[in-house]
Amino acid sequence: MDRIRIRGGKPLHGVIQIGGAKNAALPLMAVALLSPETLRLSNLPHLVDITTMVQLLAELGVEINMNGDAPNGGHIGRALELKGAEPASCTAPYDLVRKMRASVLVLGPLLARWGEARVSLPGGCAIGTRPIDLHLEAFKALGVEIELEEGYVRAAAPDGLKGAYVLFPSVSVGATENVLMAATLADGETVIANAAREPEVVDLAHCLKAMGAQIEGIGTDTLKVTGVAQLHGADYEVIPDRIESGSYAVAAAITGGEITLQGARLDIMDAVVDVLAKAGVEMTTGNGGVRVARTGEAINGIDVMTEPYPGFPTDMQAQIMALLAVSKGASMITETIFENRFMHVPELCRMGADINVHGSSAIVRGVGKLSGAETMATDLRASVSLVLAALASEGETIVNRVYHLDRGYERVEEKLAACGADIERLE
Ligand code: UD1
């Protein structure tokens, strides 16, 4: 199992290319199931989760062509051609869903196109129980019959999906995406109220529109979808990854360096920009990139609460905690999205951080310096927070279980090393 070794203490300087957003790419790939024509996606990141989705779609009968690198070149910007031919199967098996929860995003497209789907229940994961009840209740409103058997959801809509009013009791990114995709081919009008407004949901809606879907209210919490008979092919470029951008912004801030994030988009990360500004970190746009640097000597202690978009993203909570761990002052971080997303706290404490968790809040008292330690990653964002903390630590840190990191960060050690970090992967 790969590990990463970091010797911290070096301010990072340089340019980091931001890849396409994993969380936008995964639902966009599932969209291919909705159309018999070719969907060409570009600016896809090269990540394990993308490979898992390719495997799943291939199993479901999607014809897939790797189309090399898109014009912006380098390691990033890969393009894929996906064509939803006849289904080889309508089952998303446990082996793939277990690896990646986003596999449940094939449920809506399969139901909409073929009237049936069998998808393994994802089960628990490190950051909480994460059920899919919101997805299933919404599908029931669209006329889907749902049965649970042997760990699988068996869903059937023998007479096709019927447009309906779907009010989510709480905001869910995945459930909004799943129902949005399904509603594009439903009979009549579907209104999705209390919809997630994340940029990745907006990206999905734009791609569906490019394929002929009728969607109003994109970017708001109420989406109105009028079903059409068929979606056609399209060429679509995935948006840049706002979480990768935020993570490398923290890398610049935590080391007191200066990094330009090439291809990043500030307009989809307002809350992160605001929080970093309060902490004493400036992000400014120019020359096709975003420059990140501290405004003063130290990082300020601040309070942060995670919320659905446009609030501060839960996927940046662990990274901001690593930064605030070395601040001057005290901070309170409140997690409102996932119930068990402080798994990085004990690991950060082993590196000398002073953090106490009380229910869904963590009190972070800034310490001047962290020290290197052997650590264990528990989930994707927790892993990167340990890498970030290590960059600002004295001595050597080993981050174990790097496979979590590889699910969401492409060539993290190469990108950081190019900015002067002393970091290497141990195979
Ligand atoms: C997506 C992102 C993930 C991010 C999360 C929240 C992808 C592939 N993943 O995950 O990186 O952290 O949004 O921004 O895009 N919930 C239920 N029942 C459901 C569905 C969700 O109770 O049926 C709960 C979840 O347990 C969680 C909250 O709702 O507490 C939000 O989850 P959701 O927005 O659905 O997250 P994902 O779409 O799984």
Side-chain angles (χ1 to χ4, degrees):
M1 226 181 275
D2 287 5
R3 300 178 301 157
I4 285 186
R5 179 170 62 201
I6 299 152
R7 296 190 186 95
K10 294 193 171 175
L12 301 191
H13 290 273
V15 177
I16 291 183
Q17 178 73 50
I18 299 303
K22 167 181 85 77
N23 287 353
L26 294 172
L28 287 171
M29 291 168 73
V31 163
L33 290 163
L34 287 167
S35 170
E37 295 181 17
T38 301
L39 171 64
R40 280 182 209 85
L41 295 175
S42 58
N43 200 30
L44 288 160
H46 187 61
L47 297 168
V48 173
D49 275 9
I50 301 295
T51 311
T52 306
M53 191 54 120
V54 164
Q55 285 170 354
L56 175 57
L57 293 176
E59 187 142 334
L60 299 175
V62 176
E63 292 166 16
I64 302 176
N65 274 313
M66 286 283 249
N67 219 8
D69 290 339
N72 46 350
H75 288 267
I76 65 130
R78 280 173 196 75
L80 269 185
E81 285 182 352
L82 305 119
K83 191 170 168 207
E86 290 294 307
S89 135
C90 279
T91 296
Y94 176 65
D95 260 2
L96 292 173
V97 183
R98 174 179 61 86
K99 276 197 217 161
M100 185 184 68
R101 183 185 150 81
S103 306
V104 300
L105 291 171
V106 301
L107 189 52
L110 284 175
L111 277 169
R113 182 98 182 278
W114 307 110
E116 61 170 297
R118 201 170 152 265
V119 174
S120 171
L121 281 165
C125 76
I127 59 173
T129 47
R130 298 181 88 177
I132 57 164
D133 54 321
L134 297 174
H135 303 236
L136 301 185
E137 286 307 313
F139 286 130
K140 282 185 195 164
L142 297 186
V144 177
E145 293 159 18
I146 307 261
E147 281 176 41
L148 302 182
E149 54 172 38
E150 297 168 349
Y152 279 76
V153 173
R154 181 188 281 279
D159 304 322
L161 299 176
K162 305 269 177 285
Y165 180 77
V166 174
L167 168 61
F168 284 118
S170 58
V171 179
S172 163
V173 174
T176 301
E177 292 170 341
N178 228 338
V179 175
L180 174 62
M181 288 186 279
T184 59
L185 295 182
D187 183 16
E189 185 181 289
T190 300
V191 173
I192 308 174
N194 201 20
R197 289 180 282 166
E198 268 66 3
E200 294 75 20
V201 177
V202 171
D203 208 32
L204 171 64
H206 283 147
C207 178
L208 290 166
K209 268 195 97 156
M211 297 170 77
Q214 289 187 21
I215 306 170
E216 289 169 45
I218 296 175
T220 74
D221 65 358
T222 308
L223 295 167
K224 195 163 103 183
V225 189
T226 308
V228 295
Q230 191 170 314
L231 295 183
H232 52 74
D235 283 5
Y236 198 78
E237 184 179 326
V238 179
I239 52 167
D241 196 315
R242 64 195 168 102
I243 306 300
E244 189 192 25
S245 306
S247 303
Y248 288 123
V250 170
I254 205 167
T255 63
E258 181 187 330
I259 293 180
T260 297
L261 307 169
Q262 205 76 45
R265 263 180 58 184
L266 279 191
D267 62 308
I268 53 173
M269 48 190 300
D270 280 348
V272 171
V273 174
D274 286 353
V275 160
L276 285 174
K278 285 186 193 135
V281 183
E282 192 179 55
M283 298 181 79
T284 44
T285 311
N287 297 337
V290 170
R291 177 189 163 275
V292 193
R294 284 190 197 177
T295 47
E297 268 300 295
I299 296 294
N300 311 316
I302 50 161
D303 292 348
V304 182
M305 185 186 282
T306 65
E307 283 169 311
Y309 192 84
F312 187 85
T314 175
D315 286 351
M316 275 297 298
Q317 183 254 106
Q319 299 89 314
I320 205 78
M321 187 180 285
L323 179 65
L324 295 175
V326 296
S327 71
K328 193 181 67 186
S331 308
M332 184 162 81
I333 300 181
T334 305
E335 171 61 55
T336 73
I337 310 291
F338 291 110
E339 77 269 28
N340 190 20
R341 206 169 198 181
F342 284 136
M343 310 275 280
H344 41 284
V345 170
E347 298 300 305
L348 290 173
C349 289
R350 294 184 54 251
M351 299 174 77
D354 181 353
I355 306 171
N356 282 295
V357 174
H358 300 275
S360 60
S361 292
I363 309 291
V364 184
R365 292 186 179 84
V367 293
K369 269 253 174 271
L370 297 173
S371 59
E374 179 135 4
T375 62
M376 179 120 76
T378 47
D379 69 63
L380 170 53
R381 308 303 168 184
S383 323
V384 83
S385 78
L386 300 178
V387 170
L388 293 169
L391 293 172
S393 296
E394 272 171 358
E396 184 176 286
T397 296
I398 303 283
V399 180
N400 288 297
R401 298 199 183 167
V402 173
Y403 57 85
H404 289 297
L405 205 56
D406 294 334
R407 290 188 46 206
Y409 292 88
E410 182 172 350
R411 303 181 300 116
V412 67
E413 68 280 13
E414 283 177 43
K415 289 188 181 187
L416 289 170
C419 293
D422 185 347
I423 178 169
E424 64 178 327
R425 183 179 287 254
L426 310 172
E427 310 236 333

